[in-house]
Amino acid sequence: MWIRDGVLVNRMHLNPVAFAFAYWLFTPPEKRSRLSIERLINFGFTKSGFSCADKMFLFNQENDNALSNVDAAASFYNELATAAAESCSYFDGAVSLLEDLQKAGVYSYITSAVEQEVLDRWAQSTQGKLISPKLMEILGRRPNFFKGTDHFEYVSDTVKPDVIYYVADAVSELLTVLANKERFKIVSVGFSYCIDKPQVMEAVRLVKETLARFPADAIPYSEDLQVDESKLQVPEEYQLAESLKGAGADHVAGGDANEIFPNLRKYFVEQGLLKQ
């Protein structure tokens, strides 16, 4: 099970930036006194693995409910992040690994906290069509059906796997395994891909370019947001790997954009899922 398309598409730097812009642009200017766009971006990184609506709810709790319409802002985020991510590409080796796993009889699923209709639209995009035929299904948020136990149970009942390999990049995602590990025979694999500040600034550029294509009436409080790179906080590679291990990952695969999927392939070969 691949957690979100973000573990396949190199867009992890984009999601916290889109979250921050959506929250800020939907917050009335008079309620922004305690906010900063950099703080919102940093918060987005710390809450990786949560849905955008959940991130906004949690940030609101800490900031006097500055954002009054979480649902509208989260819906805007989905549109913004999806459009901006069209400029991103798959990690090197991601598509071929999915294809080879499929040929070897391994069933791949994406499991996500994002609304199902958003994922369904993405699956029909040029980017989504590259991997959709290599997946059993893309599982999102539906009525009474959520990422976590519901998705584990669905996959377990549908294909009755010997083992579920759960590939995740965030501590919060790995923690969901702990209560379900034995019941569904889950092996958790930490996806240790670090984002640096230049990548975040590239995401800022992409989000701004995407916003410029939105109709003016779609953005409640439009403005040209400037991001101070020196105020951004991103985890070091060793910190991320250690945090994933601390959250119970049975194995951690790391590396840069060119290395991480070859390292995942090597692990799956070692597990007997693929031949050398």
Side-chain angles (χ1 to χ4, degrees), residues 13 24-25 46 51 64 69 75 79 119 123 132 136 150 156 159 167 176 199 210 219 232 259 273:
H13 55 310
W24 181 275
L25 293 172
T46 66
S51 72
D64 301 323
N69 193 336
S75 178
E79 299 299 328
L119 295 169
S132 293
M136 283 291 287
D150 291 345
S156 184
V159 297
V167 185
T176 66
Q199 284 175 291
T210 305
I219 308 171
L232 297 173
E259 298 169 335
L273 300 181

Side-chain angles (χ1 to χ4, degrees), residues 192-231:
S192 182
Y193 175 66
C194 271
I195 309 298
D196 58 24
K197 291 183 180 181
Q199 284 175 291
V200 179
M201 297 306 295
E202 171 62 13
V204 170
R205 183 189 67 78
L206 280 175
V207 168
K208 284 187 173 185
E209 286 185 356
T210 305
L211 279 171
R213 300 195 297 270
F214 276 52
D217 60 0
I219 308 171
Y221 303 102
S222 182
E223 63 179 282
D224 182 20
L225 290 171
Q226 301 301 313
V227 177
D228 184 345
E229 184 176 334
S230 68
K231 295 180 180 178

Side-chain angles (χ1 to χ4, degrees), residues 48-65:
S48 176
F50 289 84
S51 72
C52 182
D54 289 341
K55 288 178 192 175
M56 289 180 173
F57 175 78
L58 292 169
F59 194 86
N60 249 2
Q61 284 187 316
E62 298 177 11
N63 293 275
D64 301 323
N65 294 311

Side-chain angles (χ1 to χ4, degrees), residues 68 141 235:
S68 59
R141 176 181 291 193

